[in-house]
Amino acid sequence: MSDIPNVYDAEPIPQAAMAEVTRLLTTGDLFRYTAAADAPVSLLEAEFAAMMGTKYALAVSSCSAALFLSLKALGLPRDARVLIPGFTFGAVPSSVVHADCVPVLCECGDDYRIDLDDFTAKLPEVSAVIVSHMRGHTSDMDAIMALCEAAQVPVIEDAAHSLGTTWAGRKIGTIGRVGCFSFQSYKLVNAGEGGILITDDADLVARAIIMSGAYEHNWKKHPVLQDAFARWQNRLPLYNLRLSNLSAAIIRPQLAELPRRVRDGRRNHDLVAARLNASPWITVPEKLGPEERAPDSIQFNLNAMIEAETHAFEAAAAARGVKVQVFGLSTDNARAYWNWRFLGDIPDLPRTRAMLMRACDVRLPARLTEAECDVIADILLAAIADVMEPPRAYGT
Ligand SMILES: *Cc1c(COP(=O)(O)O)cnc(C)c1O
């Protein structure tokens, strides 16, 4: 059927990128450290830091690379324990393993956010925390920051999917010691691949810059206190996780599109959420009070449906043209913690597991129109009606 919205295609890259990409291809100037100044990657860092209101930004090859470098730049010793949510993308525990640290998994609740009881219980065991704002859902940052400050444990924000989200008016990614973002194609800014970390900590960013591959004196092209670099010269490994000028040229003109994408993504999400919440079989968890989201997908929980009914709902939605993924039911899902077998010992997280077995994921890109969002809501509600009887009222 041709009237089913296509949720997979990306938005076109703004026209302004074309001229800059052509210039880079014509000159061959693709490496961030060739030009004496004003390389596209350096300009992106300056613009991103200004947009976020932070002192420093370092663009790298992915958000996973940014998480890895953040852990390394914190100077954590080998086998340091790092608390991460049990509901996140498999690249997050992987970045911890890559940094020679040990992930400790924290329970997440029905609202996809960090369970504060489990967080409080496990915090004394760890040397650092990564808060993944999974699918853009912000955990209670007031509580998390208060607990971590009291315990003197540094917080890295995995804001891969949270560009444009705010918490009590503060930009997500600026609340912890470091914030990490992704420019992979399924995020709000699309460069195919890419990432960036932001911080106000000069010494931390100096270490991250050197380790990202600012070999010899290339760090002189970064506007950071020079004595911070002098302290670390030749003392840190060069992991070479730099971003290419081509990627920066594709990212820079998209920053101006952000307010529109955030506004439309929120509108689309809230429209579909209100329609789905009218069904007794579906609950879309409320956002937390201080949170203003920037969604490009919707997550919702199926109520009191057994596994066979959940599968039947997925199949009915697919037959009608909308792909629904239940995180815990799709084979080898990278967001189901029991599939992170590279960790060796995987603890059981009963609350997170229960959530994953009924939490649905549907793409809802910002470029969809309201009419297209209505079609998606119609299909999801029709798929529920295909498999579930209306619940009987009490007393009948
Ligand atoms: C996409 C994503 C990542 C990984 O980002 P990459 O740039 O692909 O490495 C990490 N965490 C979350 C929450 C994500 O959504």
Side-chain angles (χ1 to χ4, degrees):
M1 279 201 312
S2 59
D3 56 355
I4 295 170
N6 178 335
V7 296
Y8 291 100
D9 288 357
E11 264 189 47
I13 305 301
Q15 196 63 35
M18 310 282 180
E20 179 67 351
V21 167
T22 304
R23 184 186 74 79
L24 292 171
L25 295 185
T26 309
T27 58
D29 179 18
L30 305 182
F31 181 51
R32 68 164 299 167
Y33 292 129
T34 301
D38 293 340
V41 178
S42 303
L43 295 174
L44 166 65
E45 288 168 346
E47 289 158 4
F48 199 86
M51 179 179 88
M52 300 303 287
T54 52
K55 286 190 187 149
Y56 312 111
L58 170 65
V60 289
S61 53
S62 68
C63 180
S64 303
L67 292 169
F68 162 76
L69 285 171
S70 301
L71 291 167
K72 282 287 174 196
L74 284 173
L76 299 175
R78 183 174 285 272
D79 294 332
R81 294 160 74 83
V82 178
L83 194 54
I84 67 169
F87 177 44
T88 185
F89 183 52
V92 176
S94 304
S95 71
V96 178
V97 171
H98 188 194
D100 296 319
C101 297
V102 179
V104 176
L105 307 187
C106 178
E107 286 268 29
C108 293
D110 273 348
D111 64 355
Y112 320 128
R113 292 162 175 86
I114 288 170
D115 178 301
L116 289 174
D117 290 337
D118 201 41
F119 186 88
T120 307
K122 288 174 176 163
L123 189 59
E125 301 170 29
V126 303
S127 307
V129 166
I130 296 179
V131 176
S132 266
H133 303 296
M134 187 52 178
R135 284 291 188 271
H137 299 288
T138 313
S139 291
D140 184 340
M141 289 307 287
D142 294 342
I144 287 171
M145 292 312 293
L147 288 164
C148 290
E149 275 160 22
Q152 297 192 312
V153 172
V155 174
I156 298 168
E157 283 185 86
D158 167 16
H161 223 144
S162 290
L163 188 55
T165 299
T166 59
W167 176 265
R170 293 173 71 187
K171 293 188 169 67
I172 284 299
T174 66
I175 300 174
R177 179 92 70 89
V178 196
C180 302
F181 297 86
S182 175
F183 302 126
Q184 186 268 341
S185 287
Y186 295 155
K187 314 299 158 102
L188 215 54
V189 170
N190 165 25
E193 305 284 357
I196 198 162
L197 68 83
I198 56 173
T199 183
D200 284 336
D201 184 328
D203 211 51
L204 185 148
V205 82
R207 290 194 295 268
I209 286 169
I210 291 176
M211 286 188 282
S212 76
Y215 61 93
E216 296 166 355
H217 288 183
N218 280 315
W219 49 257
K220 287 182 177 154
K221 293 177 178 169
H222 288 266
V224 185
L225 300 173
Q226 304 288 298
D227 57 346
F229 286 118
R231 264 200 298 286
W232 297 104
Q233 183 76 57
N234 298 339
R235 291 170 181 272
L236 295 168
L238 304 163
Y239 293 109
N240 279 11
L241 300 165
R242 295 174 301 254
L243 193 73
S244 148
N245 278 341
L246 270 181
S247 303
I250 290 168
I251 293 163
R252 291 179 59 216
Q254 291 182 61
L255 298 184
E257 306 287 320
L258 265 176
R260 175 185 56 79
R261 290 181 187 173
V262 169
R263 186 191 64 223
D264 293 355
R266 195 178 292 160
R267 176 202 66 202
N268 290 350
H269 175 276
D270 292 353
L271 184 159
V272 175
R275 293 210 45 213
L276 297 185
N277 267 330
S279 165
W281 301 108
I282 295 180
T283 301
V284 186
E286 280 290 316
K287 72 178 188 70
L288 299 184
E291 184 186 14
E292 289 300 334
R293 302 192 52 218
D296 59 5
S297 63
I298 187 164
Q299 289 70 46
F300 55 90
N301 296 330
L302 299 175
N303 301 324
M305 285 167 59
I306 60 170
E307 198 168 311
E309 291 165 341
T310 305
H311 276 298
F313 166 65
E314 272 184 315
R320 289 173 176 275
V322 171
K323 181 167 178 186
V324 176
Q325 208 172 37
V326 179
F327 292 104
L329 288 185
S330 69
T331 314
D332 297 329
N333 193 304
R335 300 150 203 91
Y337 67 85
W338 52 85
N339 289 327
W340 304 339
R341 287 170 55 189
F342 53 85
L343 294 181
D345 276 348
I346 304 171
D348 196 27
L349 304 171
R351 274 167 279 178
T352 308
R353 178 182 291 270
M355 176 271 284
L356 291 168
M357 296 309 280
R358 67 191 195 103
C360 301
D361 192 25
V362 173
R363 289 172 59 80
L364 213 54
R367 61 170 173 73
L368 295 189
T369 64
E370 290 177 80
E372 288 174 316
C373 292
D374 269 324
V375 172
I376 290 175
D378 288 341
I379 289 174
L380 293 172
L381 293 168
I384 283 281
D386 289 345
V387 297
M388 302 304 288
E389 298 286 329
R392 253 184 284 156
Y394 285 108
T396 59

